[in-house]
Every structure is written in C-alpha cells, then in structure tokens.
Amino acid sequence: MAFPEGFLWGGATAANQCEGGYNEGGRGLANVDVMPHGPERRAVGAGLRKMLDFEDGYYYPAQNAIDMYHRYREDIKLFGEMGFKTYRLSIGWTRIFPNGDEDEPNEEGLAFYEDLFRACHEQGIEPLVTITHFDLPIHLIKEYGGWRNRKLIDMYKKLVTVLFTRYKGLVKYWLTFNEINMILHLPFMGAGLVFEEGEDKQAIEYLAAHNELVASAWATKIGHEIDPENKIGCMLAAGTYYPYSCKPEDVRAAQLENQKNYFFVDVQSRGYYPAYALKMLERDGIDIGMTDEDKRVLAENTVDFISFSYYSTRCAADESTECERTQGNAFAGAKNPYLKASQWGWAIDPLGFRITLNDLWDRYQKPLFVVENGLGAKDVVEQDGSINDDYRIDYLRQHIAAMRDAITEDGVEMLGYTTWGPIDLVSAGTGEMSKRYGFIYVDRDDAGNGTLARSKKKSFDWYKKVIATNGEDLS
Ligand code: BG6
C-alpha cells in the first residue's frame, strides 16, 4: 500500500475566506475583514496602505464570504460524502475575543466552533485547527501595533488556553500560525503590521516574527500540558527555491531565499535560532528583544510535526543574471522557463512537490503534513449545471502521484494531505471568487453577486474515489 493506513485525506479552509457573518455572534473586526477586493488589496496586505476600517467605495469580500457561518453543517456533510478523514479550518480570533484583550471569551463564538467540531465528528472527520490563519483583531493593531508588540504573546496565550481547554477531546491536531513566513511578504495580513514613513521595515518584521515564534512555542507548551494527546505543528508557505542556473551566484541566491523561509521552521522545530539568522540580525543591527525565558520556551517546546502549503517551486537568480522576473504570487523571483503556469501565473511543478517534501523531511526528520495544495482556476458552468474541471483533476493527480513517490521511493514520513479550498472560497491573495480551488462550486462572483448555492464539480467524485482507495486509484 502506497499511503500509510490512517493517512489523513481532506481539505483546508480559513475562517476569513469562507465564514462571512463578520458582525454576527458578538464577533469583532479583524485585519482580514478590511482587505478590499481590487488593486489596493496587495498594498493593504503589505502594510503599505493603511486601512483599519471599512472605507467607502470598496468591496470587502470577507464580510460575507461564502456564508459558511450559516451553512457549515451542509458543507461539512458534503465533505463527509467525499469521505474526508480530516477537515482543516481556522478559528476567527475575534469570534472568541472580539477585541483580543478582554479577560473573558465570547461564549457565542466558542459555542459556534464547538458545534462545528461536533458536526465534523458526526461525519467521521477529525478537525485540524489553525489557531490563526492571517487573523488578528483590529483592536490589537490600533492599540498595540500588531505583532510588533510583545504584549500580543500574552493575548495569544490567553486565546490558546481557552481553545485547548474548551475543545479538549474534540480537537487533537493544531497548527499555531498559518504560513508564518508570510510576515516577510504580506506583513499586514500575516502579523497586523502597518508601516509608518521612515520605519525600518525589516527590523519590525523580524521583531514580529520573533514574537510569533515565542507565542507559537508557548502554545505548544500549553497545548501539551492541557492534553498530552494534542499534536501541535508549525505551518510554512513552502516550495523550494531552485537556482536559475548552475552559476554559483544563482545557487547562492537560491540558498539565501531558502534560508529566509527555513528560518521559521528551524526555530519551531529545532528550538533555537540558526547561526545564519543570528548573523543576519547582528549584521543588520536588528534587536528582536530575545529574553532568557524566550530562549528556554523555544528550546523546550518544539513542534510535533511540520505542516506546509505547496503550490509551486520558486526560482532565484543573482541580480547580475539576465532573466525574466515574476511576481506570480506573494513571492517574487525569476521565471522558471521549464514550467507552465496557472491562469494566475503560479508555476506548476509536481516534481518540485516531491523535491520540497524531501528537502523538509531531510532537514527536520519530523512527520510532514501537507495542509494546502491545489489549483486556482476559472470554472465554466455548463448549460446543464455541470462543471468539468479536468484541469483541476490533472493538477491534483500529478501532485498526489509525486507525494506517493516521495513516500514509497524516498521514505518521507507523512501524516496527511488536505487540498486547499475543497469548496470555492475567497482568494487570500486577490480577494476574488473566480480563483476557484473547490470540488464544490459556490454560486458567487467577484462582486459578491450570486445565490451562494453549492454544487458538485466533476472533481468531487474523483477525489472521493482517491480517498476511498487510499490513493491507489488516481485515474
Ligand atoms: C495560502 C494561504 O497562501 O494560499 C491561503 O494559506 C490562500 O489562505 C492560498 O488562500 C491560496 O492563495 P490564493 O491567493 O489563491 O487564495
């Protein structure tokens, strides 16, 4: 058998991209709510255009998203029908603590997720919970400056204590921060950072990263103390950087880019700052405010497993190298001439998936959990209502085959695989609905029009078969 028994097949979503109900159930406002659809989204996400409230003339897709807040039972039933073993979802921080710094949590928010987890178990689905997926109370940004402020470590500790206590027995798999390395690319989205004129952006990003890393270690400690059964993982936006050529300067450029990403998991998995990061901080005069207690907490509370998203590999070139550059997604780089790209310019590289799996396994020797993979594509609804998304099936088939090879041929140890957006949801990068990843279609467009009705695409039955055969039948 290629995939181990008990392999956790499923799908992954994030609260702000699917729930909606932004002002219901006592929920407070979050950074992700105020990220508009349209050309300014990227600047807002990068912390370069300050937008901390809804402004006139913009459309904010997270306000209603795909209305999962009201439809989760119906949606989870469909996941159950596909045979999901796990469903990865995230907690909206502001449903639990609307401002982030209250003493008592909001019962309505806690009850919402409790029922959602129960709905999963009724379908035989193990929840996999991301504690924060690009999600931070606006109040903590306005009052404290987001994750640049150490006080957020305490707010986060309070949040996780409430979650681990309340959901003991209902949730076993946890991720502390989604794509923690996103701080370096979209710092408002990743850490609630907004930069003022003249600020040292890099210094603030690493300060915020340190605070998140320490908070993540505390969460691991608290989670294990409350329930030793808890398995707690980190989460990286992965995708190995290839050198554009074998020119040593290109190879070095790729090495540096890889280190920028590995830095986070190096700390979370090994428990200390790697030498190259310490040198960089020293060289650039960055003080992250490391205390002795931080060092101890980091060292004693490393993660149980490594989770990551994989959409594509990346390519790095030295500045002197002549090549086409791309800004396909949040990660800029050289354009790989050997690879085709998606409709949104993301390189498609199944072999790169196997390479990335090997790189992470070699480096950490801890079980890997792929918690995002998939193809964002435009779908066409035929006259009879059917959606023939063969391109999505092809993408997933090739990637699952590459993952199978990594397990059977290379000996990579894995816990599971969840595709991104098993149901169409709002794109984090662009705010669009038309960038669809789902097996389940949602009738909603980029401007928020549509009935929100759900329907199955061709890929629905295909993935169902993949899961039923534990990955044996990919045809
Ligand atoms: C990851 C995020 O970066 O990629 C998700 O964790 C996101 O939140 C996914 O949706 C796909 O990116 P996009 O921009 O196509 O939504």
PDB file of all heavy atoms in Angstrom, residues 380-395:
ATOM      1  N   VAL A 380     -16.171  26.844 -15.654  1.00  0.00           N
ATOM      2  CA  VAL A 380     -17.311  27.181 -16.517  1.00  0.00           C
ATOM      3  C   VAL A 380     -18.490  26.287 -16.138  1.00  0.00           C
ATOM      4  O   VAL A 380     -18.353  25.063 -16.086  1.00  0.00           O
ATOM      5  CB  VAL A 380     -16.950  26.936 -18.007  1.00  0.00           C
ATOM      6  CG1 VAL A 380     -18.145  27.237 -18.905  1.00  0.00           C
ATOM      7  CG2 VAL A 380     -15.746  27.782 -18.394  1.00  0.00           C
ATOM      8  N   VAL A 381     -19.615  26.925 -15.848  1.00  0.00           N
ATOM      9  CA  VAL A 381     -20.817  26.150 -15.549  1.00  0.00           C
ATOM     10  C   VAL A 381     -21.556  25.902 -16.863  1.00  0.00           C
ATOM     11  O   VAL A 381     -21.943  26.847 -17.551  1.00  0.00           O
ATOM     12  CB  VAL A 381     -21.736  26.897 -14.558  1.00  0.00           C
ATOM     13  CG1 VAL A 381     -22.915  26.022 -14.156  1.00  0.00           C
ATOM     14  CG2 VAL A 381     -20.954  27.341 -13.326  1.00  0.00           C
ATOM     15  N   GLU A 382     -21.702  24.620 -17.219  1.00  0.00           N
ATOM     16  CA  GLU A 382     -22.372  24.274 -18.481  1.00  0.00           C
ATOM     17  C   GLU A 382     -23.883  24.511 -18.352  1.00  0.00           C
ATOM     18  O   GLU A 382     -24.408  24.670 -17.250  1.00  0.00           O
ATOM     19  CB  GLU A 382     -22.123  22.792 -18.837  1.00  0.00           C
ATOM     20  CG  GLU A 382     -20.662  22.385 -18.874  1.00  0.00           C
ATOM     21  CD  GLU A 382     -19.867  23.006 -20.026  1.00  0.00           C
ATOM     22  OE1 GLU A 382     -20.483  23.579 -20.943  1.00  0.00           O
ATOM     23  OE2 GLU A 382     -18.629  22.937 -19.963  1.00  0.00           O
ATOM     24  N   GLN A 383     -24.537  24.470 -19.514  1.00  0.00           N
ATOM     25  CA  GLN A 383     -25.998  24.664 -19.563  1.00  0.00           C
ATOM     26  C   GLN A 383     -26.740  23.773 -18.573  1.00  0.00           C
ATOM     27  O   GLN A 383     -27.683  24.185 -17.927  1.00  0.00           O
ATOM     28  CB  GLN A 383     -26.500  24.328 -20.986  1.00  0.00           C
ATOM     29  CG  GLN A 383     -26.130  25.354 -22.033  1.00  0.00           C
ATOM     30  CD  GLN A 383     -27.222  26.394 -22.198  1.00  0.00           C
ATOM     31  OE1 GLN A 383     -28.368  26.052 -22.424  1.00  0.00           O
ATOM     32  NE2 GLN A 383     -26.875  27.659 -22.058  1.00  0.00           N
ATOM     33  N   ASP A 384     -26.271  22.511 -18.478  1.00  0.00           N
ATOM     34  CA  ASP A 384     -26.964  21.561 -17.596  1.00  0.00           C
ATOM     35  C   ASP A 384     -26.487  21.677 -16.143  1.00  0.00           C
ATOM     36  O   ASP A 384     -26.834  20.866 -15.294  1.00  0.00           O
ATOM     37  CB  ASP A 384     -26.760  20.121 -18.094  1.00  0.00           C
ATOM     38  CG  ASP A 384     -25.288  19.702 -18.051  1.00  0.00           C
ATOM     39  OD1 ASP A 384     -24.437  20.554 -17.694  1.00  0.00           O
ATOM     40  OD2 ASP A 384     -24.990  18.538 -18.364  1.00  0.00           O
ATOM     41  N   GLY A 385     -25.664  22.674 -15.883  1.00  0.00           N
ATOM     42  CA  GLY A 385     -25.210  22.895 -14.499  1.00  0.00           C
ATOM     43  C   GLY A 385     -23.927  22.160 -14.155  1.00  0.00           C
ATOM     44  O   GLY A 385     -23.353  22.385 -13.087  1.00  0.00           O
ATOM     45  N   SER A 386     -23.445  21.297 -15.046  1.00  0.00           N
ATOM     46  CA  SER A 386     -22.235  20.533 -14.714  1.00  0.00           C
ATOM     47  C   SER A 386     -20.980  21.406 -14.850  1.00  0.00           C
ATOM     48  O   SER A 386     -20.975  22.409 -15.576  1.00  0.00           O
ATOM     49  CB  SER A 386     -22.124  19.283 -15.597  1.00  0.00           C
ATOM     50  OG  SER A 386     -21.976  19.685 -16.945  1.00  0.00           O
ATOM     51  N   ILE A 387     -19.934  21.005 -14.162  1.00  0.00           N
ATOM     52  CA  ILE A 387     -18.649  21.719 -14.218  1.00  0.00           C
ATOM     53  C   ILE A 387     -17.565  20.674 -14.430  1.00  0.00           C
ATOM     54  O   ILE A 387     -17.321  19.830 -13.564  1.00  0.00           O
ATOM     55  CB  ILE A 387     -18.386  22.501 -12.913  1.00  0.00           C
ATOM     56  CG1 ILE A 387     -19.470  23.572 -12.731  1.00  0.00           C
ATOM     57  CG2 ILE A 387     -16.998  23.136 -12.911  1.00  0.00           C
ATOM     58  CD1 ILE A 387     -19.739  23.959 -11.325  1.00  0.00           C
ATOM     59  N   ASN A 388     -16.950  20.713 -15.599  1.00  0.00           N
ATOM     60  CA  ASN A 388     -15.980  19.671 -15.949  1.00  0.00           C
ATOM     61  C   ASN A 388     -14.559  20.187 -15.728  1.00  0.00           C
ATOM     62  O   ASN A 388     -13.899  20.634 -16.647  1.00  0.00           O
ATOM     63  CB  ASN A 388     -16.197  19.235 -17.403  1.00  0.00           C
ATOM     64  CG  ASN A 388     -17.591  18.664 -17.585  1.00  0.00           C
ATOM     65  OD1 ASN A 388     -17.980  17.747 -16.860  1.00  0.00           O
ATOM     66  ND2 ASN A 388     -18.369  19.237 -18.494  1.00  0.00           N
ATOM     67  N   ASP A 389     -14.126  20.068 -14.508  1.00  0.00           N
ATOM     68  CA  ASP A 389     -12.828  20.653 -14.137  1.00  0.00           C
ATOM     69  C   ASP A 389     -11.684  19.631 -14.260  1.00  0.00           C
ATOM     70  O   ASP A 389     -10.977  19.362 -13.284  1.00  0.00           O
ATOM     71  CB  ASP A 389     -12.890  21.250 -12.721  1.00  0.00           C
ATOM     72  CG  ASP A 389     -13.359  20.276 -11.661  1.00  0.00           C
ATOM     73  OD1 ASP A 389     -13.937  19.233 -12.023  1.00  0.00           O
ATOM     74  OD2 ASP A 389     -13.134  20.535 -10.457  1.00  0.00           O
ATOM     75  N   ASP A 390     -11.505  19.134 -15.474  1.00  0.00           N
ATOM     76  CA  ASP A 390     -10.434  18.142 -15.700  1.00  0.00           C
ATOM     77  C   ASP A 390      -9.047  18.704 -15.385  1.00  0.00           C
ATOM     78  O   ASP A 390      -8.169  17.973 -14.948  1.00  0.00           O
ATOM     79  CB  ASP A 390     -10.475  17.645 -17.152  1.00  0.00           C
ATOM     80  CG  ASP A 390     -11.727  16.821 -17.402  1.00  0.00           C
ATOM     81  OD1 ASP A 390     -11.881  15.790 -16.734  1.00  0.00           O
ATOM     82  OD2 ASP A 390     -12.563  17.227 -18.233  1.00  0.00           O
ATOM     83  N   TYR A 391      -8.856  20.008 -15.639  1.00  0.00           N
ATOM     84  CA  TYR A 391      -7.562  20.640 -15.333  1.00  0.00           C
ATOM     85  C   TYR A 391      -7.231  20.521 -13.860  1.00  0.00           C
ATOM     86  O   TYR A 391      -6.084  20.322 -13.475  1.00  0.00           O
ATOM     87  CB  TYR A 391      -7.600  22.121 -15.759  1.00  0.00           C
ATOM     88  CG  TYR A 391      -8.954  22.758 -15.515  1.00  0.00           C
ATOM     89  CD1 TYR A 391      -9.252  23.364 -14.301  1.00  0.00           C
ATOM     90  CD2 TYR A 391      -9.971  22.676 -16.476  1.00  0.00           C
ATOM     91  CE1 TYR A 391     -10.511  23.897 -14.061  1.00  0.00           C
ATOM     92  CE2 TYR A 391     -11.228  23.203 -16.238  1.00  0.00           C
ATOM     93  CZ  TYR A 391     -11.500  23.808 -15.029  1.00  0.00           C
ATOM     94  OH  TYR A 391     -12.757  24.306 -14.779  1.00  0.00           O
ATOM     95  N   ARG A 392      -8.235  20.648 -13.003  1.00  0.00           N
ATOM     96  CA  ARG A 392      -8.011  20.529 -11.555  1.00  0.00           C
ATOM     97  C   ARG A 392      -7.665  19.085 -11.197  1.00  0.00           C
ATOM     98  O   ARG A 392      -6.747  18.830 -10.407  1.00  0.00           O
ATOM     99  CB  ARG A 392      -9.268  21.003 -10.814  1.00  0.00           C
ATOM    100  CG  ARG A 392      -9.093  21.072  -9.306  1.00  0.00           C
ATOM    101  CD  ARG A 392     -10.236  21.824  -8.633  1.00  0.00           C
ATOM    102  NE  ARG A 392     -10.227  23.245  -8.957  1.00  0.00           N
ATOM    103  CZ  ARG A 392     -11.142  23.856  -9.723  1.00  0.00           C
ATOM    104  NH1 ARG A 392     -12.149  23.182 -10.242  1.00  0.00           N
ATOM    105  NH2 ARG A 392     -11.049  25.145  -9.986  1.00  0.00           N
ATOM    106  N   ILE A 393      -8.408  18.166 -11.789  1.00  0.00           N
ATOM    107  CA  ILE A 393      -8.127  16.744 -11.543  1.00  0.00           C
ATOM    108  C   ILE A 393      -6.695  16.420 -11.970  1.00  0.00           C
ATOM    109  O   ILE A 393      -5.952  15.759 -11.243  1.00  0.00           O
ATOM    110  CB  ILE A 393      -9.153  15.847 -12.293  1.00  0.00           C
ATOM    111  CG1 ILE A 393     -10.546  16.078 -11.704  1.00  0.00           C
ATOM    112  CG2 ILE A 393      -8.755  14.375 -12.229  1.00  0.00           C
ATOM    113  CD1 ILE A 393     -11.680  15.374 -12.437  1.00  0.00           C
ATOM    114  N   ASP A 394      -6.308  16.899 -13.141  1.00  0.00           N
ATOM    115  CA  ASP A 394      -4.940  16.640 -13.647  1.00  0.00           C
ATOM    116  C   ASP A 394      -3.892  17.162 -12.674  1.00  0.00           C
ATOM    117  O   ASP A 394      -2.921  16.481 -12.377  1.00  0.00           O
ATOM    118  CB  ASP A 394      -4.714  17.363 -14.987  1.00  0.00           C
ATOM    119  CG  ASP A 394      -5.271  16.567 -16.123  1.00  0.00           C
ATOM    120  OD1 ASP A 394      -5.658  15.399 -15.900  1.00  0.00           O
ATOM    121  OD2 ASP A 394      -5.343  17.125 -17.241  1.00  0.00           O
ATOM    122  N   TYR A 395      -4.082  18.389 -12.234  1.00  0.00           N
ATOM    123  CA  TYR A 395      -3.118  19.005 -11.299  1.00  0.00           C
ATOM    124  C   TYR A 395      -3.005  18.150 -10.039  1.00  0.00           C
ATOM    125  O   TYR A 395      -1.907  17.787  -9.605  1.00  0.00           O
ATOM    126  CB  TYR A 395      -3.571  20.434 -10.949  1.00  0.00           C
ATOM    127  CG  TYR A 395      -2.680  21.150  -9.940  1.00  0.00           C
ATOM    128  CD1 TYR A 395      -1.729  22.080 -10.345  1.00  0.00           C
ATOM    129  CD2 TYR A 395      -2.806  20.896  -8.565  1.00  0.00           C
ATOM    130  CE1 TYR A 395      -0.908  22.738  -9.422  1.00  0.00           C
ATOM    131  CE2 TYR A 395      -1.993  21.545  -7.636  1.00  0.00           C
ATOM    132  CZ  TYR A 395      -1.055  22.459  -8.071  1.00  0.00           C
ATOM    133  OH  TYR A 395      -0.253  23.098  -7.145  1.00  0.00           O
TER     134      TYR A 395
END
